[in-house]
Amino acid sequence: MTAPPVARSGVRRSWIDATGLAGRSRAVRSLTACVIALAVLVAVGGALLPVPRPADRPLSVTIGVALAALLVAAGQLARLRFRLGRGVVSVSWGEAAFIIGYVVAPPGWLPLATLAGAVGAWAVLSWLDEHRNVAEVTHLAASLSLGAAGAATVARLIGGDAPILSVRTQVALVAGALAYLVVTFGLAALTLTLHRDAATAQIFARIPYAKIPMFVGNVLVGLAAVFALVRGPAWLFAFVPGLWLLQRTYRFHLRAEEERRMWEAFAAATSTLPGATESEVAAAGLRGALDVFGARRVELEVRTPEGEHRYAKDGPGQDNLLAGLPGPAITRTMVVGTEIVGELTVWLAAPTLPVPRDEAAISAYGDALAAALHDAAAGARVAELREQATYNFAHDQLTGVRNRASLLADGDHLLRSLERDRHVALLLLDVNGFREVNGTLGHRCGDEVLALIAERLGEMSRESELVARTGDDEFALLIPAIATLTDSAMPLHETPSPLPLAVRRARELAEHIGQPMEIAGVRLAVEIAVGVAVARAGRVEFTELVRRASLALDQAKQQELAVSTYDTSQDALTTDELALLAELQDALAVDDQIVLHLQPAVDLVTAAPTGVEALVRWRHPRRGQLSPNDFIRTVEHTELLTPFTHRVLDLALTAAGNWNQAGVDLPVSVNVSARSLLDPGFPGQITDALRRHRTPASRLVLEITESVAVSEQAIVDDVLAELRDAGVQISLDDFGTGYSSLAIVTRAPVHEIKIDRSFVDDMIDSAAAEAVVRGAVELGARLGVRVVAEGVETTEQRAALIELGCPNAQGYHFCKPMPADRIVQALTQLAEAAPDNIRPLRADDAS
């Protein structure tokens, strides 16, 4: 389609506008003026110059000059054109016209004849389809006239008055044609260069390639025509088919070269189209269209969901605003699939190719540009989504601050980048009673509270400090540079502590965040608990710093404090305790880690053994031997209780079987967990163990603590009754330390009472402790059950217990706990020495 010319600005029309020089550079206008002036001067001077006409010329001067002008006009009308950058170069039959004109007309008249013929021919061409202005037509004609002048001069100097068909004249005509080519080529190259239609290297490469084959044909046609004029003019009719074939050959050669050039430029331009952004693709597309089509102007309209974007670029060398945009403009809608990407409009310099070919090429280029724009938009969208995903991965979506994963990563990186001795502080903040906010106002209002807390925390943070949301209602502030406060009373040799300043920051945060806020029309205030941990950057991992701050925060919430600081006493949970459950499972899978140490109970007077208590130990492969206090709580609160109890019973009954085989008839006591007494299947486990070891039930004593029987009384009573019915003895351990000592002995009868060692330790100096021991001894006597005093370590304690009438005791005074492989010998020795131990004891006697 043809676009209307760009409207000219309101500038007053001058002779430059009238001649068509508007929009051209000063250099082009100067060259045009010089070429026209020189051509007119040479044409007029040559016509006035008296040059004698050789006698063998076939025509008169008038007819010869007219024929020369007609030949020039015919040669220009039969011109062939090809595109060179944004310019168009015409290749004509000028050399043939010169050779014939030189023979039929005086040489001095050739510049004038060429000027007249060229002006007439280009005027007709401009009127038909070229749309060239006065300046362009005159410039072209003047250039050809100067070429004819130079050619005539060279031919005259070489040929002189030699006959037409002489070798000298033929050489002169060829030399003149070559001079014509050099002059016209030089002027055309200079014009294209000044007008910036094409690069200089491209001009000097393509014009000779297109012109030289036609130049050779022109010379041959011209020389043959001269021979025909002289020998027989009728032969000129034979030139018509030959000239037609040459014209077709030249046209095919130029068209093939033009199409090859255009598609090479097309491939080069489309290879640069892919870009990261729309503007990059648009810029490359505009440059490529100018290069491929030699366009005067290219406009691009890109349609996106956000709106339309317009881009435009003019070809160099001409101001289109002043010169206007006459000529063909092709517009194509760019589509990818069913999606319209935009429109591409190309103003061609001249219709050098048939319109369908231009339209096909522009359509193909528009498709490539549309694909590149679509890919750039998709790439931009993908990059935007990737950036958003990266942001979401590192930030809390509700509050916009960092999330826990980002805090751990960035905090660890920050600590590694700091000086090793720099103090850093981590503040963990938790909202007290936040569930009440959610429960009363709803989760949406709760989210508003959290967002406002994050905002206030950000207001109080400083540059380089990291703010994060680490839990539902928990936030963190990492302070990478905490100063130190020096106390005037602090000795000079001691290092000042940064902890007070960190605590001050924590209190400021708690006070600022705790200011009243209005949510859903309700004015409320929240309380903040803050845990503070301070350490040197090079001496702690960031995860350890988080752990310490968490411990401090837990303490603050437990003690209902606003701020609490970390100290090492808060390390209740260690890595050893975390690994304890797995290591216990490994210990139960082998035979040599869970072992028993056995301690006899003896008659207080004779020291003869009356029973043996099994005390469990753990031979830990890494930590050494562990007592029950180190692991029994973990056992009682996990599924390991049943296999652990099974293992202890097996070990105890095995040991009892060994001393029974040695002739020592004593029961073995095993401590029982509270959870075991709540298991209705526990009595079955006991009877099964007794059956497997072929041990009478009377030789097994199960020690229970009085506190285990406080709750679930019905279940406990049933289990104990079933055990008693099976013949198993029940011992009440740690008697006197709980709240149900008297109640349990009446509700669940036992066979033995063991007085807790705390009363035995204090009975010498405490009348109250002595009264408890006395009451337990008397209670046992009245109920008919055994009484054993635990923890007897001195002669004084033994004597006091004997005086109170306590029959049995257990403790280091008699025998320490020992491995199972030594207990038989120890029991034998105690039994054999018993008669010798019957003697009066004084408080100061040694045992």
Side-chain angles (χ1 to χ4, degrees):
M1 60 176 290
T2 301
V6 175
R8 303 192 181 194
S9 61
V11 181
R12 184 173 60 85
R13 188 172 175 82
S14 65
W15 66 270
I16 295 179
D17 301 314
T19 57
L21 292 175
R24 297 179 179 269
S25 65
R26 182 183 299 274
V28 173
R29 293 200 299 266
S30 299
L31 176 63
T32 300
C34 291
V35 169
I36 293 174
L38 184 60
V40 171
L41 181 63
V42 170
V44 174
L48 297 177
L49 187 66
V51 178
R53 182 173 181 271
D56 60 347
R57 294 303 188 258
L59 302 175
S60 64
V61 173
T62 303
I63 296 175
V65 172
L67 180 58
L70 289 175
L71 290 172
V72 170
Q76 295 302 313
L77 290 173
R79 88 278 182 262
L80 300 174
R81 300 165 296 175
F82 68 94
R83 184 175 290 153
L84 185 62
R86 278 161 291 279
V88 177
V89 178
S90 297
V91 181
S92 67
W93 294 85
E95 292 83 0
F98 159 72
I99 292 175
I100 298 172
Y102 185 83
V103 172
V104 300
W109 284 83
L110 281 181
L112 181 59
T114 302
L115 182 62
V119 168
W122 281 104
V124 172
L125 291 173
S126 179
W127 176 71
L128 291 175
D129 64 354
E130 291 284 347
H131 304 292
R132 293 184 180 270
N133 54 48
V134 175
E136 290 177 329
V137 170
T138 308
H139 184 102
L140 286 170
S143 298
L144 297 176
S145 177
L146 290 178
T153 302
V154 171
R156 181 66 181 176
L157 291 176
I158 295 176
D161 295 331
I164 295 176
L165 299 180
S166 65
V167 175
R168 181 179 177 183
T169 301
Q170 303 301 311
V171 172
L173 291 176
V174 173
L178 184 61
Y180 180 89
L181 173 65
V182 171
V183 173
T184 54
F185 168 75
L187 290 175
L190 181 59
T191 301
L192 291 171
T193 301
L194 292 178
H195 201 256
R196 291 182 292 171
D197 283 329
T200 304
Q202 186 182 15
I203 294 171
F204 282 89
R206 295 201 63 220
I207 291 182
Y209 179 83
K211 179 62 180 175
I212 288 176
M214 196 169 186
F215 168 78
V216 175
N218 283 350
V219 171
L220 294 176
V221 169
L223 293 177
V226 170
F227 182 83
L229 282 172
V230 175
R231 293 297 185 184
W235 285 98
L236 292 176
F237 291 104
F239 278 77
V240 175
L243 291 175
W244 182 81
L245 290 175
L246 284 176
Q247 181 77 359
R248 298 290 297 178
T249 302
Y250 294 154
R251 183 183 298 277
F252 177 80
H253 170 74
L254 291 177
R255 181 168 294 172
E257 169 60 18
E258 171 62 17
E259 290 186 355
R260 183 190 65 81
R261 180 214 64 82
M262 187 185 70
W263 291 115
E264 286 180 354
F266 185 96
T270 53
S271 67
T272 64
L273 287 181
T277 63
E278 175 189 300
S279 58
E280 292 179 2
V281 175
L286 294 176
R287 289 194 304 268
L290 291 176
D291 293 337
V292 173
F293 306 110
R296 299 180 66 182
R297 179 180 174 86
V298 180
E299 292 183 356
L300 180 62
E301 177 185 302
V302 181
R303 299 177 185 176
T304 66
E306 292 77 20
E308 296 182 355
H309 303 152
R310 295 182 178 272
Y311 305 88
K313 188 175 180 64
D314 292 320
Q318 184 164 327
D319 189 346
N320 290 321
L321 182 62
L322 296 176
L325 288 173
I330 299 176
T331 298
R332 284 291 177 268
T333 300
M334 299 182 297
V335 180
V336 175
T338 58
E339 179 183 354
I340 297 178
V341 179
E343 286 187 349
L344 173 67
T345 302
V346 179
W347 272 270
L348 299 176
T352 57
L353 289 176
V355 172
R357 296 190 179 185
D358 280 332
E359 291 181 346
I362 292 175
S363 295
Y365 188 81
D367 292 340
L369 182 56
L373 288 169
H374 187 271
D375 291 345
R381 180 58 178 164
V382 169
E384 180 182 348
L385 292 175
R386 184 183 295 112
E387 182 180 357
Q388 184 65 37
T390 302
Y391 179 86
N392 291 339
F393 179 78
H395 291 78
D396 176 58
Q397 296 186 12
L398 174 62
T399 61
V401 299
R402 286 177 173 82
N403 56 25
R404 182 179 182 85
S406 177
L407 175 68
L408 292 176
D410 294 347
D412 183 69
H413 177 74
L414 183 59
L415 257 63
R416 294 177 185 276
S417 66
L418 298 176
E419 299 175 359
R420 294 181 57 85
D421 290 335
R422 175 178 293 188
H423 284 96
V424 297
L426 179 65
L427 279 57
L428 286 184
L429 300 83
D430 187 88
V431 183
N432 293 329
F434 184 71
R435 289 186 178 180
E436 298 177 0
V437 177
N438 280 335
T440 304
L441 301 179
H443 288 277
R444 179 175 298 179
C445 294
D447 290 345
E448 293 182 19
V449 172
L450 294 175
L452 187 55
I453 290 174
E455 180 181 346
R456 292 181 177 181
L457 183 58
E459 294 172 353
M460 294 292 290
S461 64
R462 302 168 185 172
E463 187 177 0
S464 78
E465 296 179 352
L466 303 183
V467 177
R469 181 186 178 196
T470 57
D472 290 340
D473 58 344
E474 185 178 283
F475 295 85
L477 175 65
L478 176 61
I479 306 174
I482 190 74
T484 57
L485 294 179
T486 303
D487 191 345
S488 59
M490 179 182 297
L492 295 178
H493 66 276
E494 294 186 9
T495 303
S497 171
L499 188 59
L501 188 56
V503 172
R504 180 185 300 176
R505 285 291 306 276
R507 296 190 183 281
E508 292 174 353
L509 288 174
E511 181 179 354
H512 182 68
I513 294 175
Q515 292 179 358
M517 60 184 72
E518 185 170 334
I519 303 295
V522 178
R523 184 174 172 82
L524 58 88
V526 295
E527 293 184 353
I528 301 296
V530 186
V532 180
V534 177
R536 296 182 186 272
R539 299 184 184 181
V540 65
E541 296 288 340
F542 185 69
T543 53
E544 172 62 16
L545 191 63
V546 173
R547 188 188 71 85
R548 295 179 181 181
S550 297
L551 291 175
L553 177 60
D554 291 341
Q555 179 172 320
K557 295 182 72 67
Q558 291 172 5
Q559 299 180 3
E560 299 183 355
L561 300 174
V563 178
S564 179
T565 61
Y566 165 80
D567 61 71
T568 55
S569 64
Q570 297 170 357
D571 284 327
L573 186 62
T574 65
T575 55
D576 286 337
E577 290 176 325
L578 289 176
L580 193 61
L581 180 59
E583 292 176 342
L584 271 171
Q585 293 175 343
D586 295 339
L588 291 173
V590 298
D591 296 330
D592 60 345
Q593 290 193 28
I594 303 299
V595 297
L596 293 183
H597 280 200
L598 301 162
Q599 186 178 31
V602 300
D603 183 283
L604 264 174
V605 176
T606 66
T610 59
V612 180
E613 181 178 3
L615 304 173
V616 67
R617 298 289 187 267
W618 181 6
R619 292 177 182 170
H620 197 283
R622 177 172 53 86
R623 299 167 59 187
Q625 183 166 287
L626 302 180
S627 68
N629 291 334
D630 296 322
F631 61 86
I632 201 65
R633 185 176 61 178
T634 301
V635 172
E636 290 181 341
H637 290 83
T638 64
E639 297 300 323
L640 294 179
L641 178 60
T642 298
F644 184 84
T645 304
H646 187 277
R647 173 67 60 85
V648 173
L649 282 171
D650 281 346
L651 293 175
L653 293 175
T654 299
N658 292 335
W659 68 64
N660 287 326
Q661 290 178 3
V664 180
D665 187 11
L666 294 175
V668 62
S669 299
V670 177
N671 287 277
V672 178
S673 169
R675 283 184 56 200
S676 296
L677 295 179
L678 295 174
D679 181 9
F682 181 64
Q685 299 175 22
I686 296 298
T687 55
D688 180 67
L690 292 171
R691 183 176 61 255
R692 284 187 289 105
H693 289 273
R694 298 179 180 179
T695 302
S698 58
R699 291 182 182 174
L700 177 62
V701 180
L702 298 181
E703 294 189 7
I704 65 173
T705 56
E706 55 190 280
S707 58
V708 304
V710 174
S711 61
E712 302 292 344
Q713 294 182 4
I715 298 177
V716 172
D717 290 348
D718 291 343
V719 170
L720 291 177
E722 190 172 350
L723 289 171
R724 284 194 304 270
D725 292 342
V728 177
Q729 300 187 57
I730 306 299
S731 174
L732 183 59
D733 197 13
D734 302 333
F735 182 80
T737 59
Y739 300 100
S740 60
S741 299
L742 297 178
I744 192 171
V745 296
T746 58
R747 194 187 83 241
V750 297
H751 302 86
E752 180 182 79
I753 293 175
K754 302 186 78 170
I755 304 173
D756 188 73
R757 66 175 303 158
S758 61
F759 301 108
V760 175
D761 288 340
D762 297 338
M763 61 180 291
I764 303 297
D765 301 319
S766 171
E770 180 185 357
V772 172
V773 174
R774 185 189 303 274
V777 172
E778 292 179 356
L779 179 64
R782 291 183 181 277
L783 294 177
V785 300
R786 294 188 306 273
V787 177
V788 181
E790 294 182 302
V792 178
E793 297 182 355
T794 65
T795 303
E796 289 82 358
Q797 292 174 345
R798 179 182 181 185
L801 289 170
I802 292 175
E803 184 177 351
L804 292 175
C806 183
N808 304 293
Q810 180 181 340
Y812 279 26
H813 178 72
F814 304 103
C815 185
K816 294 182 179 179
M818 60 186 63
D821 58 356
R822 294 170 51 191
I823 192 62
V824 174
Q825 181 182 0
L827 292 175
T828 302
Q829 292 175 353
L830 286 173
E832 292 175 351
D836 298 333
N837 291 330
I838 303 175
R839 58 187 176 88
L841 292 175
R842 302 193 314 273
D844 56 351
D845 285 344
S847 62

